[in-house]
Amino acid sequence: ITRKIEVTGMKSPMNSTVYFDNYGNRECTETISSIDMGNGNTSKSHHLSFNANGYLYQVNLISKTGTKSKYNPKVMTGGFSFAGLTDNMKKQFNIKNEGTSVILGKQCELYSMHSSDMKGTFAVWKNLTLNLTTETNGMITRVTTIKLQDNVQIPKDKFTVPKDVKITER
């Protein structure tokens, strides 16, 4: 899944690609951004975050540094799962099913959420959030899926630390 991420105040969007297999038991997020700082300078970043062999790796491919920490998928899930919504969660976060929408040829369930500190809309296909818009404390985040491929071979290097990266264990 390749996504464009736009945040209030950022002049340039970030691009993020999520690779996953085995129903999400192996997942890697690669994020690339080039942000116009407004003074003629550009701030570039290129990060990988992936789980492998019981560890979570956070790798900065520009500075060639990273961290490694024990990975507990029950504690460290990266997002909100619509698959396990209970009636209590729906009530607590004021989550409502708002119908359906087609995104990149996929029939998505549309949800709205309105809690005390955030409101948003989510388009979900097979428990994958394809598009979302959230507002928290006046900051708006928009995530738009621009490419979706399923049943593809994932490059092995997405789950390995490059040889020239220095890893620090936490």
Side-chain angles (χ1 to χ4, degrees), residues 17-133:
T17 302
V18 180
Y19 305 87
F20 58 92
D21 67 359
N22 194 16
Y23 303 98
N25 287 322
R26 260 184 14 141
E27 183 175 312
C28 172
T29 301
E30 181 173 17
T31 305
I32 300 171
S33 68
S34 180
I35 300 171
D36 178 356
M37 303 304 284
N39 57 4
N41 293 322
T42 303
S43 174
K44 295 183 181 204
S45 68
H46 188 179
H47 292 88
L48 284 180
S49 175
F50 64 91
N51 60 307
N53 305 316
Y55 289 92
L56 176 66
Y57 293 86
Q58 303 282 339
V59 179
N60 182 327
L61 293 169
I62 293 177
S63 69
K64 305 293 185 193
T65 60
T67 61
K68 169 183 170 181
S69 56
K70 285 283 187 191
Y71 177 71
N72 180 347
K74 292 181 177 162
V75 174
M76 304 175 92
T77 55
F80 188 89
S81 173
F82 285 90
L85 283 179
T86 64
D87 287 339
N88 188 39
M89 290 168 69
K90 289 178 186 177
K91 186 176 179 180
Q92 179 182 356
F93 295 105
N94 195 21
I95 297 170
K96 295 182 178 142
N97 189 311
E98 302 288 353
T100 61
S101 177
V102 176
I103 297 171
L104 298 174
K106 307 299 183 189
Q107 184 76 22
C108 298
E109 292 291 323
L110 297 177
Y111 295 94
S112 65
M113 176 188 293
H114 191 75
S115 65
S116 60
D117 60 347
M118 184 193 77
K119 64 181 178 179
T121 58
F122 305 83
V124 180
W125 172 72
K126 292 189 175 183
N127 199 38
L128 297 171
T129 301
L130 298 188
N131 291 359
L132 68 85
T133 301

